Amino acid sequence: MPALWRSTFVLVMVLLAISRPSLASEDTGNGTENTITTLPIVIWKWEEIHFPYLVALWVLVSWLCKLVFQLNPCLTRVIPESGLLICIGWVLGGIIYGADKVQTFRLQPFTFFFYLLPQIVLDAGYSMPNKLFFGNLGAILVYAVIGTCWNAATLGLALWGCWLGGAMGNIDTGLLQLLLFGSLIAAVDPVAVIAVFEEVHVNEVLYILVFGESLLNDGVTVVLFNVFDAFVSLGGAQIDAVEIIKGIISFFVVAVGGSLVGVVFALLISLLTRCTKNIQIIEPGFIFVLGYLSYLTAEMLSLSAILSCTFCGVCCQKYINANMDERSVSTVRSTMKVFANGSETIIFVFLGISAIDPSIWVWNTAFILLTLLFIFVFRFIGVFLLTWILNQYRLVPLDFIDQLVMGYGGLRGAVAYGLVLLLDENKYKEKKLMISTTLIVVYFTVMLQGITMKPLVTWLKVKRAAVSERTLAEKIQNRTFDHMLVAIEDISGQIGDNYMRDKWNNFEEKWLYWLLMTPIARKSCDPIFNIFHKLNIKDATSYVKEGERRGSLAFVRNESKADVDFNKKFGADFSEMMPYIMTENMGPDHVPVSSILRDSVPSVCLDMHEQDLKMRESEDFDAHHLLQQHLYKGRKQHRHRYSRKHLEVNKDEHEVQEIFQRTMRSRLESFKSAKMGVAPPKKISKHLKKDQPQKMPNGKSADNSKSHAYGDEDLEFSEGDSASGCEAAGGSFPMRAYRGAGIVNPAFMAEMDTMDPMPPMQQIPSWLAEAEVDSSNMVPSQRAQLTLPWTPSNLRRLAPLCLSTHSNDSFLLADSPATQEGISELPPPPPPQDGQGQGTHK
Amino acid sequence: MNWPLYVTPAHIVRLYDRFEALDKEKTGHLRPQDFGAINRLAMNPIGDRIIGAFFSPGQETVDFHSFVRILAHFRPADKKHPKDPSMPEPVNSRTSKLKFAFQLYDQDKDGKISRAELLQVLRSMLEMQVTEEQLESIADRTIQEADLDKDDAISFEEFRKSLEKVNIDHKMSIRFLR
């Protein structure tokens, strides 16, 4: 933390250092006509680039401020980010003022309204939850229009009353000016509301009401501002009924006109994205450009620019999200957030900096305090009044707690400050007083109300937003409810808003989709399908992540095949296994992964599964199955039964040890018998095949039955392991010992020796040969063949098959009594071996 | 008449007018054909199921009392009246609303929404854009999410649990019945 303070300080110093020459050089900016006497290698070009340089530097500094206080998380929990940014703005302003003795940087209204505000509004519109917004549009409009008018009127009149009463002393103002001041400070600010409410997470209805109001009240604010400004210019005498009527008409024109401009641009954007399939690289850019143009066009026509931008975003979001490629959509979303959040940061920092300027401060205690008081009181009164009226008509009435929060959430912000800066000083002698008051109001609401909002919400036990995502069941049920309500309304013969909504949906589907959406998008825009798709992608991603954590993706692919195969092949037999697999095969989110794979893997893979099945059926599936079943039982089971975190390594090692010991025993025995001319492996295999049915249930570990189901995956998984080579030599080698043979069941190794003479062995070679030939064809077991066992018993048989380099070595090693690693692992010569064999016999 | 339904007299009057308008043959009862005459209902994917919900099993007609009773499910829940444990569950309580919704799915009335039943509903709601395989996947996925005892069907309790975050009162209420 100290390090970052230091670096910020250094940055600010640099800023100052640069800004000083900029001030000084402004006069001499054109003095570059000096004759040069020699070729300059490097020139100091400050004059030419100082403007963009300063802009970029200020943006950087503002954004770095965000970084500064993120270091101390407890700070951000108490004070909202916007408040902290203002504080840092004060500090920076203080430094600059201290250095320059004049405030060189401040928030200019033009910069604010044309470069900083549009992206915030566009982002607000684009990410607006439409269904919620339009469902509560009536309430939002009531608060926005009537509420703001009420706030403006009462504040203006109250201040005027106090001024007449002499409470404010001698200020040069009048009723109209105070009404104007009231109108610009009455509006709830979208920037501040976003900044504060974002961290509080109240329930969505409450949020949408406050937020929607803050956006839509711009229509009223602009009208009131212009009307009163014009009235002030006209003078009090000229105002008569005509002017007032014109004022009212202008409200409708401005508000509705602004919205229409926004809708027109939304249509343009949607149509455009319909055709931009081949220029996807620049597709996201169109949204921003056209959104900004909607703002500017409305501003040009003196209509409400914020309304235009908002409705542009609101109306086009559905169509462009459907038309554009997923990557473009996520690009648009992320970029919008960057711009909006970045602008918000800059605005708040500059709000802080602008305050450190003695030239703007005129202090009139009464004026300021009265303003604060009236804003607060009239906001609450207005909210309660309007809510009482609305609750007569609302389906779900707003309760008292929500109303309190709504009243308290009437934050004022930068828009008011921007508007007050636009005032003409000649007409408004008290402009400085108004600026000071506005700043104080903004600081009060953003910081004080911002800080206390969260505790208030917790204390009042306001219903909070549901954090989790909608499940598929919920989505389907919502749809059902919608249809249900429409049906009930039809039956009961009432025209309700469900009826209207249904009509709108039909109209939209019939005409708008055809006009504004690409044919492909039209097919796949069903919300249930979309959420299903999203859930599948989420599962697939988590599955891949899980697979990557385990080592390699090769196993993932195979496992999927294996899972589905089993389901198809064994279905009922292993239905009791399948839930086991499904519940155990958990991704990190505890979503049954295997079944989801079936969903997320489109029909293409199903063909592969079919092919695989056929391949297996053509070969001796039982043989393969036998191989799989007895191989890697121990390891695989553990992987499946326990989550990755709980993999009990000890047990694994124990198994490994057992296998290792048995391998040693068997190897030495076959060594022995090889010398004697008998081929014990053959015996073993045949014996094993016969015994397999009865041996299966009681494998060497208690969960043979489970391993049966896991058979396929066993093989694949272990292959994955050995292919990725992540096992130590010691671990993998005993596995390999059993791979190609498939014959050696470690559990029964010891018993082999004591078995009676074997039945005729004619079948065995063929079976084995079959198995080997089969395995060379089969995808999984081919991998098994890659690393060959190197027990001496298998030496002769498997010689002609392809060998992996790894086992080649061990192959040779085992063959020759050379002194290499293989031999070192071999137990000492025969005499102790028997004893050892007995000793380790289980 | 005993109206423990929290429906106001004004509602009853309005609904009776509607009942009479639907009952073209003036029999005092409604039959499925009368409901079918409502054109817009035919365009509703679950219109038939809703109509079926009005008729108790085995009955072929709906009298006015039942008509009002079913519609009273859609009244917003009354927060003012405290719950009286001695009285039967009010018709517009959350549980009753959920039961109504449940029976829309559970056509064979076995107390469980089987996979086949869910598929039927999905098929009717998702219409033509979605293939049969995808529908089955969606149905499987839905059952997985909601099915807690792994019997491959959704019981009423599981149904209720899967919707505990949804504001049923809001979603299943008609404004004019306030």
Side-chain angles (χ1 to χ4, degrees):
Chain A
M1 176 116 160
L4 236 104
W5 278 115
R6 243 179 280 134
S7 54
T8 319
F9 188 72
V10 165
L11 208 68
V12 172
M13 286 295 115
V14 168
L15 191 74
L16 286 176
I18 291 173
S19 65
R20 288 179 123 229
S22 84
L23 286 181
S25 65
E26 263 164 32
D27 321 323
T28 60
N30 291 332
T32 45
E33 303 280 341
N34 321 336
T35 47
I36 48 172
T37 48
T38 166
L39 178 70
I41 297 174
V42 174
I43 314 176
W44 175 252
K45 282 185 159 188
W46 174 251
E47 292 82 22
E48 283 133 37
I49 67 155
H50 81 276
F51 182 70
Y53 200 93
L54 279 178
V55 168
L57 201 60
W58 268 114
V59 171
L60 178 67
V61 168
S62 313
W63 290 354
L64 279 178
C65 298
K66 248 177 123 88
L67 194 64
V68 166
F69 57 75
Q70 288 294 345
L71 289 172
N72 198 350
C74 30
L75 204 60
T76 47
R77 247 180 277 142
V78 176
I79 310 182
E81 223 177 72
S82 41
L84 286 170
L85 286 169
I86 293 183
C87 293
I88 295 188
W90 286 337
V91 170
L92 287 176
I95 296 175
I96 295 181
Y97 184 77
D100 273 351
K101 293 293 175 277
V102 70
Q103 187 58 265
T104 41
F105 301 104
R106 61 169 81 185
L107 190 60
Q108 306 290 350
F110 188 84
T111 319
F112 172 70
F113 280 116
F114 290 100
Y115 296 124
L116 292 175
L117 190 59
Q119 48 262 47
I120 299 180
V121 180
L122 189 62
D123 177 55
Y126 181 74
S127 32
M128 177 85 76
N130 267 1
K131 199 165 177 198
L132 206 59
F133 179 67
F134 285 110
N136 289 299
L137 191 60
I140 293 178
L141 280 176
V142 165
Y143 286 120
V145 176
I146 304 181
T148 313
C149 288
W150 160 268
N151 282 343
T154 52
L155 183 65
L157 288 172
L159 283 177
W160 181 61
C162 292
W163 175 68
L164 281 181
M168 294 177 209
N170 226 358
I171 20 179
D172 182 8
T173 181
L175 170 64
L176 286 170
Q177 294 192 12
L178 287 172
L179 279 174
L180 177 74
F181 179 68
S183 70
L184 64 87
I185 205 136
V188 179
D189 185 73
V191 181
V193 164
I194 295 176
V196 171
F197 270 75
E198 207 176 357
E199 302 178 12
V200 182
H201 298 297
V202 293
N203 65 69
E204 41 186 33
V205 174
L206 183 54
Y207 174 74
I208 202 78
L209 285 175
V210 182
F211 187 53
E213 180 197 343
S214 70
L215 281 175
L216 296 192
N217 66 17
D218 180 67
V220 182
T221 311
V222 164
V223 171
L224 286 176
F225 188 83
N226 289 331
V227 162
F228 285 126
D229 197 30
F231 281 3
V232 167
S233 309
L234 287 175
Q238 300 246 358
I239 301 168
D240 53 1
V242 178
E243 303 293 335
I244 295 183
I245 293 176
K246 271 165 98 180
I248 297 178
I249 295 178
S250 80
F251 162 68
F252 285 105
V253 170
V254 164
V256 176
S259 315
L260 279 177
V261 169
V263 171
V264 164
F265 272 91
L267 280 173
L268 278 175
I269 297 181
S270 312
L271 281 172
L272 196 61
T273 51
R274 203 186 155 175
C275 319
T276 52
K277 202 164 62 98
N278 297 322
I279 45 168
Q280 272 175 7
I281 192 124
I282 207 173
E283 210 173 26
F286 283 118
I287 319 293
F288 294 99
V289 168
L290 280 171
Y292 191 44
L293 273 178
S294 78
Y295 186 92
L296 294 176
T297 311
E299 188 66 39
M300 182 174 69
L301 299 171
S302 79
L303 304 171
S304 166
I306 294 185
L307 276 185
S308 158
C309 212
T310 308
F311 277 101
C312 180
V314 158
C315 295
C316 76
Q317 52 165 268
K318 186 170 182 187
Y319 308 109
I320 60 179
N321 285 343
N323 277 345
M324 291 200 295
D325 186 49
E326 273 181 31
R327 286 166 305 183
S328 297
V329 172
S330 61
T331 309
V332 170
R333 210 171 277 147
S334 320
T335 319
M336 284 252 202
K337 289 291 173 205
V338 169
F339 281 155
N341 215 310
S343 290
E344 199 185 294
T345 315
I346 299 176
I347 290 175
F348 281 117
V349 169
F350 270 90
L351 267 180
I353 294 179
S354 311
I356 314 294
D357 187 3
S359 63
I360 61 162
W361 283 100
V362 172
W363 191 266
N364 186 327
T365 323
F367 191 81
I368 295 175
L369 283 179
L370 283 171
T371 312
L372 276 174
L373 177 71
F374 288 140
I375 282 184
F376 216 64
V377 166
F378 286 125
R379 167 84 184 158
F380 274 106
I381 296 178
V383 165
F384 287 134
L385 250 169
L386 289 173
T387 317
W388 179 76
I389 299 175
L390 276 175
N391 275 346
Q392 312 297 325
Y393 299 102
R394 273 180 71 86
L395 187 60
V396 180
L398 289 163
D399 54 357
F400 179 70
I401 307 277
D402 283 344
Q403 291 173 40
L404 261 183
V405 178
M406 214 169 15
Y408 199 68
L411 307 169
R412 272 69 173 178
V415 175
Y417 180 67
L419 283 174
V420 88
L421 284 177
L422 285 177
L423 294 174
D424 185 355
E425 271 151 347
N426 303 323
K427 281 194 291 186
Y428 303 90
K429 300 286 185 278
E430 298 295 331
K431 177 178 172 180
K432 288 201 184 145
L433 176 61
M434 292 188 191
I435 294 179
S436 318
T437 315
T438 312
L439 275 176
I440 299 278
V441 168
V442 170
Y443 292 150
F444 185 84
T445 55
V446 170
M447 303 201 39
L448 230 93
Q449 284 178 255
I451 295 176
T452 50
M453 181 70 80
K454 224 184 198 168
L456 184 77
V457 160
T458 322
W459 178 58
L460 288 176
K461 298 198 191 52
V462 175
K463 245 190 319 173
R464 308 296 278 270
V467 203
S468 59
E469 272 179 28
R470 291 265 193 87
T471 64
L472 204 56
E474 278 177 14
K475 262 280 178 172
I476 294 178
Q477 197 51 44
N478 278 337
R479 261 299 194 78
T480 315
F481 284 145
D482 288 341
H483 289 304
M484 206 194 300
L485 288 179
V486 174
I488 295 289
E489 277 191 0
D490 289 333
I491 290 177
S492 53
Q494 301 289 330
I495 294 189
D497 26 303
N498 291 298
Y499 173 79
M500 302 301 290
R501 196 192 54 231
D502 200 48
K503 269 203 107 161
W504 165 257
N505 282 341
N506 289 338
F507 168 73
E508 197 187 22
E509 270 174 41
K510 201 167 166 200
W511 295 104
L512 292 181
Y513 282 8
W514 169 83
L515 179 70
L516 299 173
M517 288 170 70
T518 60
I520 308 162
R522 243 177 278 153
K523 278 195 214 124
S524 59
C525 69
D526 189 90
I528 293 183
F529 189 72
N530 279 344
I531 205 178
F532 171 66
H533 179 63
K534 265 187 238 159
L535 287 171
N536 283 339
I537 290 188
K538 194 173 81 141
D539 285 339
T541 325
S542 60
Y543 190 71
V544 167
K545 277 197 207 137
E546 178 75 10
E548 280 180 340
R549 284 208 314 232
R550 292 193 199 181
S552 88
L553 282 182
F555 105 90
V556 167
R557 254 181 279 127
N558 294 323
E559 207 172 312
S560 70
K561 275 193 249 167
D563 277 350
V564 181
D565 279 337
F566 260 87
N567 202 20
K568 283 181 182 231
K569 176 106 177 134
F570 297 107
D573 302 341
F574 297 94
S575 55
E576 83 274 9
M577 301 304 173
M578 285 313 287
Y580 195 91
I581 298 179
M582 281 209 258
T583 50
E584 295 309 321
N585 218 352
M586 294 288 198
D589 304 332
H590 290 286
V591 174
V593 165
S594 51
S595 54
I596 300 311
L597 259 189
R598 249 182 287 132
D599 301 338
S600 55
V601 169
S603 35
V604 175
C605 270
L606 284 176
D607 296 333
M608 277 159 54
H609 298 147
E610 292 299 332
Q611 234 183 334
D612 220 20
L613 261 187
K614 282 193 205 109
M615 273 198 317
R616 295 201 184 163
E617 275 161 1
S618 62
E619 294 129 7
D620 191 347
F621 190 90
D622 289 330
H624 180 61
H625 194 65
L626 175 72
L627 277 172
Q628 292 161 347
Q629 190 219 325
H630 293 287
L631 298 173
Y632 319 118
K633 220 173 7 200
R635 290 187 79 89
K636 189 57 181 173
Q637 258 156 0
H638 288 294
R639 298 261 170 172
H640 271 282
R641 205 137 37 91
Y642 307 112
S643 72
R644 198 176 168 273
K645 295 186 207 129
H646 297 132
L647 181 66
E648 281 159 37
V649 184
N650 294 335
K651 259 199 175 177
D652 232 10
E653 284 173 2
H654 187 60
E655 298 276 338
V656 163
Q657 251 190 353
E658 276 184 34
I659 297 167
F660 170 68
Q661 282 158 359
R662 284 182 189 137
T663 317
M664 293 292 88
R665 234 183 307 122
S666 69
R667 213 173 292 134
L668 288 167
E669 264 141 41
S670 44
F671 235 59
K672 237 188 347 183
S673 47
K675 289 185 186 141
M676 295 188 284
V678 182
K682 292 186 185 157
K683 287 189 222 170
I684 295 163
S685 67
K686 177 57 189 161
H687 180 73
L688 211 63
K689 187 175 184 188
K690 227 178 60 171
D691 288 335
Q692 195 212 327
Q694 82 205 83
K695 298 294 183 202
M696 255 167 66
N698 39 319
K700 78 163 144 56
S701 44
D703 15 51
N704 198 359
S705 54
K706 305 278 192 303
S707 77
H708 186 78
Y710 289 120
D712 279 355
E713 301 104 311
D714 281 353
L715 197 57
E716 271 74 272
F717 180 72
S718 321
E719 262 132 67
D721 282 345
S722 51
S724 60
C726 38
E727 272 95 84
S732 51
F733 111 62
M735 295 310 183
R736 262 181 270 129
Y738 296 85
R739 222 177 272 212
I743 317 156
V744 184
N745 184 350
F748 311 115
M749 277 308 296
E751 289 136 61
M752 294 317 163
D753 310 329
T754 55
M755 281 303 172
D756 287 319
M758 300 299 139
M761 304 176 211
Q762 302 90 316
Q763 297 171 311
I764 300 116
S766 59
W767 176 82
L768 267 176
E770 218 182 293
E772 271 124 27
V773 165
D774 292 345
S775 32
S776 63
N777 288 342
M778 270 191 290
V779 173
S781 29
Q782 192 164 37
R783 244 173 261 129
Q785 294 304 318
L786 281 178
T787 51
L788 266 184
W790 48 286
T791 54
S793 49
N794 300 324
L795 272 178
R796 267 152 250 140
R797 196 176 344 277
L798 298 171
L801 295 173
C802 60
L803 312 169
S804 81
T805 51
H806 215 136
S807 44
N808 242 332
D809 292 339
S810 34
F811 216 174
L812 301 167
L813 286 172
D815 208 0
S816 62
T819 53
Q820 290 182 13
E821 52 164 30
I823 291 299
S824 62
E825 290 173 46
L826 278 178
Q833 164 209 325
D834 287 327
Q836 186 191 23
Q838 303 298 326
T840 52
H841 171 72
K842 287 261 168 23
Chain B
M1 263 212 241
N2 189 15
W3 297 99
L5 299 173
Y6 299 100
V7 185
T8 68
H11 291 152
I12 295 175
V13 170
R14 255 191 290 180
L15 289 176
Y16 193 70
D17 286 339
R18 179 66 177 170
F19 186 83
E20 287 200 309
L22 285 175
D23 182 16
K24 299 210 173 55
E25 296 172 18
K26 304 283 175 253
T27 56
H29 293 93
L30 287 181
R31 288 158 302 134
Q33 301 92 297
D34 294 323
F35 284 103
I38 307 172
N39 292 334
R40 286 187 48 83
L41 216 50
M43 293 195 286
N44 198 315
I46 55 171
D48 293 332
R49 287 169 186 257
I50 303 265
I51 296 176
F54 275 84
F55 295 88
S56 313
Q59 273 199 322
E60 294 214 348
T61 56
V62 182
D63 64 352
F64 185 58
H65 189 156
S66 315
F67 184 71
V68 172
R69 190 170 211 292
I70 301 285
L71 285 180
H73 279 293
F74 289 89
R75 225 178 151 236
D78 218 352
K79 293 198 184 106
K80 293 183 217 115
H81 294 237
K83 263 201 203 134
D84 195 350
S86 63
M87 290 196 59
E89 183 90 26
V91 138
N92 60 345
S93 74
R94 192 192 158 93
T95 316
S96 311
K97 289 189 199 240
L98 278 175
K99 281 213 184 105
F100 184 82
F102 188 77
Q103 80 180 69
L104 282 184
Y105 287 98
D106 184 21
Q107 294 283 306
D108 56 4
K109 311 253 183 289
D110 62 351
K112 284 182 180 298
I113 304 176
S114 69
R115 189 168 170 274
E117 286 170 338
L118 185 60
L119 257 181
Q120 268 180 348
V121 180
L122 279 175
R123 212 173 279 133
S124 64
M125 287 209 297
L126 287 178
E127 296 174 35
M128 294 158 299
Q129 306 121 319
V130 187
T131 68
E132 189 64 30
E133 264 172 3
Q134 286 165 340
L135 268 181
E136 289 186 11
S137 307
I138 296 178
D140 285 333
R141 179 72 192 249
T142 314
I143 292 190
Q144 243 160 41
E145 279 177 355
D147 192 13
L148 302 165
D149 55 5
K150 306 282 173 233
D151 58 354
D152 206 30
I154 304 179
S155 69
F156 180 65
E157 274 313 307
E158 290 163 354
F159 183 72
R160 187 216 292 261
K161 197 156 197 313
S162 75
L163 293 178
E164 60 189 355
K165 294 201 200 91
V166 177
N167 185 351
I168 298 290
D169 194 45
H170 193 175
K171 293 273 179 189
M172 271 189 72
S173 300
I174 300 283
R175 183 169 297 184
F176 86 95
L177 281 171
R178 277 202 72 204

